[in-house]
Structures are given as C-alpha cells and as structure tokens.
Amino acid sequence: MGVFPRLRRGKPWKLKIEYWILNILFLALSACSPPPRDALLTGQTMGTSYSIRLAASPLGRGDLRRLQADIDAALAEVNRQMSTYLSDSEISRFNRAEADEPVAISPDFQHVVRRALEIAAATGGAFDPTVGALVNLWGFGPDGRPCAAPAAEPIAAARAITGWRHLLLTPDGQLAKDIPDLRLDLGAIAKGFGVDRVAELLRARGREHFLVEIGGETLGVGRNGQGESWRVGVLKPDESADLQGIARLTGGRAIATSGDYRNFYRDETGELRAHIVDPRTAAPVGHAVASVSVLAGDCLTADALATALFVLGPDEGLPLLAERFPDVEALFLVRTGDGFREIASPGFAAALRYEPAPAL
Ligand code: AMP
Ligand code: MG
C-alpha cells in the first residue's frame, strides 16, 4: 500500500505535526551539511612540488582526476620546452646549437624568452637568463658542487659566454645566439610561468577561485573557501619553518620569493654561496639580504623580479621598482644578527595587507 492512503487515514492534527517535524528535520540537516570543501591537488614538477587549491569545489573525484591529468600534461609541456634537465628539451637543443644557428621554439617558450629579455633590459641585466655557465661553475648546475671556489680563469671564461644581449629572438619565433656556448637558463622565471599556465588552464575550465603554487611561487585568483582573500605565509629566511608574516592576495595577484636560505653551501673559507649569481661580479650574490618577496599581477613577473631584486638589494632595487614597475611591490628581509629587518616598497603593506605572524 502506498503513502497516500495511510496519510489520508491519519488525523489532520497528527498529519500537521508530522509535516512540521519532517520540515524541521530537513532544515536542521541542510544547516548541518558541510559547505562544499576546498579540493587540493598536489604533485611534482620542475624539480619541486606543486599544490593547487580549488575553493569550495563542486567537482567530483573523477572530474578532479581528469583536471589534474590535464594540469600535469600542461606542466610536462613547459618542461619539454624549457627544462635544462631534459636533454631533448627545446632549451637543451638550443644550448647545444652553434652560434648564429637559429632554433625554432614553441610559442610559450617564445613568450617566456621575450619577457625574460624585457626584464633583463629593465633591470640593467640584474636578471639575466644567460647566466647558465656561471651558475654551473659555482656549483648550482649539472656539474654539481666544486671542491673550492673557482679560479679567475674559469670565471672569466664563463663570463665571456654570458650576456642577455647575445640572445636573439626573431619575430618569426626563432632563437639564436651570436656567441658560441651561451647557456640559456630560465630557472628564475619558468616556475612563475608554470603557475600562470596552470591558472590559464583553470580559468578556461570555468574555475574562478583558486590558489596555484609551484615551489613557493604562488598566484591567488578570486577568494578562498570562506569567501576571503587568499592568505599566503611569508617564511622567515632561515632553517626554521616559522612565518615572518602572512600576505593576503587580492585581485588575482601573485607572490614569489628569492633568497639564499634554501639552495646554498659553504665554501672552503666558510663563505655562504647561494644559487643566484650577480652578472656584474660573475659570483653568487653575497649580502645582508636573505630574501625578497615580490607581489605582481602575474607570477612570471613576480618570479623574475624577485631574482633581479635579490641581486640588486633594496638600495638599488626599490628606486628601480618605483620607476619601471609601479604596480609591483617588494619586501626585503635583511639579516640583523638576531633576526630580520623588513624593508618594503611604499605600497607593500597596503597592497598585501601584510600582517606580522602571530607569536606561537
Ligand atoms: P629563483 O629561485 O627564482 O631566484 O631562481 C634562481 C635560479 O635562477 C638559479 O638556480 C639559476 O638557475 C638562475 N639564476 C641565477 N642567477 C640569476 C640571475 N641573475 N638572473 C637570472 N637567472 C638567474
Ligand atoms: Mg625567480
């Protein structure tokens, strides 16, 4: 027998009570049911890890799996073009090519080279995508760590094959060099580009609220699961995993950090040698600045400028930002002996709504 005949048989006041109990139960259940949760995708790329948070994602497991497969494919494609760790990548083929022998490269690779050359020019060569030979000589490339600091002669030889003005991108997408053995190295910009590339893919799939991070370079779009701006920790540039502060990313902005506190060694004299080379001295940058965090409208720009500003330091870097990159903000953390002093561009605090980390 169905429900209706039973209902019809009941007393009207009883039916009313049942109706309200059911209604209240339904309302209570819908109030208790959790809101859609953030989805987290993690993986490996470019010799580091990535994480992607989709705010209040309605996607089921199958959809997420397919989305992550597409993201992995897009990142593998960036590596196939720009990774010097893959011997058959486009960049490795270019690095093996003879001088004045143009190599056709993919449109994304062209875009990254074009931006790299623009940023090299705008930073007076502090950012230089041709530092590969020097980076390798100082122990941060495929040849590994040297036993002692390199002598003057090999430094001069590596310097002779360095210089962004020797790198040429033709309007029809061919890359050439006018000196032999120049080594293109996009390690200071490719992660940022990878982040932008993933964000482009997510936007194309209709996602409006997400955070993408590759090796610490991060872009926040829209809002987090609580409807607030995305919050990103700025690490203290030391061995602790403590936070110096918390940055809020609003308006689809990116933050990238460069420093000498992660990838470094001490040479035979005890001097700290880190992976960012000052093209003007042909040696690793060594000054009191421990890290630079940069906020920009896209992650490629934030990544490249963080490296450039680490080379320049605040005295040269901040006037350059004000003049050439008025929409970009930076925070330098400078060693004081017992902690870090913050030196920020004038708009940094407002643009980032930077909050000191709560004491633990
Ligand atoms: P990042 O961590 O983004 O600052 O990038 C550092 C990496 O960029 C290094 O490991 C080198 O491969 C490369 N690099 C080092 N010095 C420079 C420089 N002055 N300009 C551009 N790339 C650099
Ligand atoms: Mg960088």
Side-chain angles (χ1 to χ4, degrees), residues 201-267:
L201 187 150
L202 291 173
R203 281 195 181 100
R205 303 290 165 87
R207 302 288 105 222
E208 292 173 355
H209 304 279
F210 55 82
L211 191 75
V212 181
E213 175 265 336
I214 301 179
E217 321 299 38
T218 308
L219 176 78
V221 171
R223 301 194 160 265
N224 69 16
Q226 286 76 50
E228 296 163 354
S229 43
W230 290 103
R231 303 173 77 200
V232 178
V234 176
L235 288 176
K236 273 197 201 307
D238 56 21
E239 307 81 52
S240 76
D242 295 348
L243 293 184
Q244 176 75 15
I246 294 167
R248 284 175 187 265
L249 297 181
T250 51
R253 306 206 90 195
I255 187 166
T257 298
S258 285
D260 63 8
Y261 59 104
R262 278 274 167 83
N263 192 1
F264 70 89
Y265 65 95
R266 292 206 177 265
D267 71 10

Side-chain angles (χ1 to χ4, degrees), residues 248 250 295 329 345-354:
R248 284 175 187 265
T250 51
L295 178 73
E329 307 293 343
S345 59
F348 184 88
L352 258 174
R353 288 200 273 148
Y354 180 80

Side-chain angles (χ1 to χ4, degrees), residues 48-125:
T48 185
S49 59
Y50 74 74
S51 66
I52 297 160
R53 193 171 282 275
L54 305 171
S57 167
L59 300 181
R61 272 206 205 158
D63 286 339
L64 283 173
R65 244 199 322 271
R66 277 186 289 279
L67 182 62
Q68 184 157 24
D70 292 347
I71 288 167
D72 284 336
L75 291 171
E77 180 57 22
V78 176
N79 277 320
R80 191 197 63 74
Q81 295 176 27
M82 296 173 234
S83 171
T84 50
Y85 289 88
L86 299 177
S87 61
D88 59 348
S89 64
E90 292 184 16
I91 195 170
S92 294
R93 265 187 277 137
F94 170 74
N95 281 338
R96 284 194 301 269
E98 302 293 325
D100 298 317
E101 180 195 318
V103 173
I105 59 170
S106 300
D108 280 352
F109 189 2
Q110 292 171 37
H111 166 72
V112 174
V113 169
R114 200 170 295 117
R115 290 291 293 135
L117 290 174
E118 284 166 9
I119 292 170
T123 60

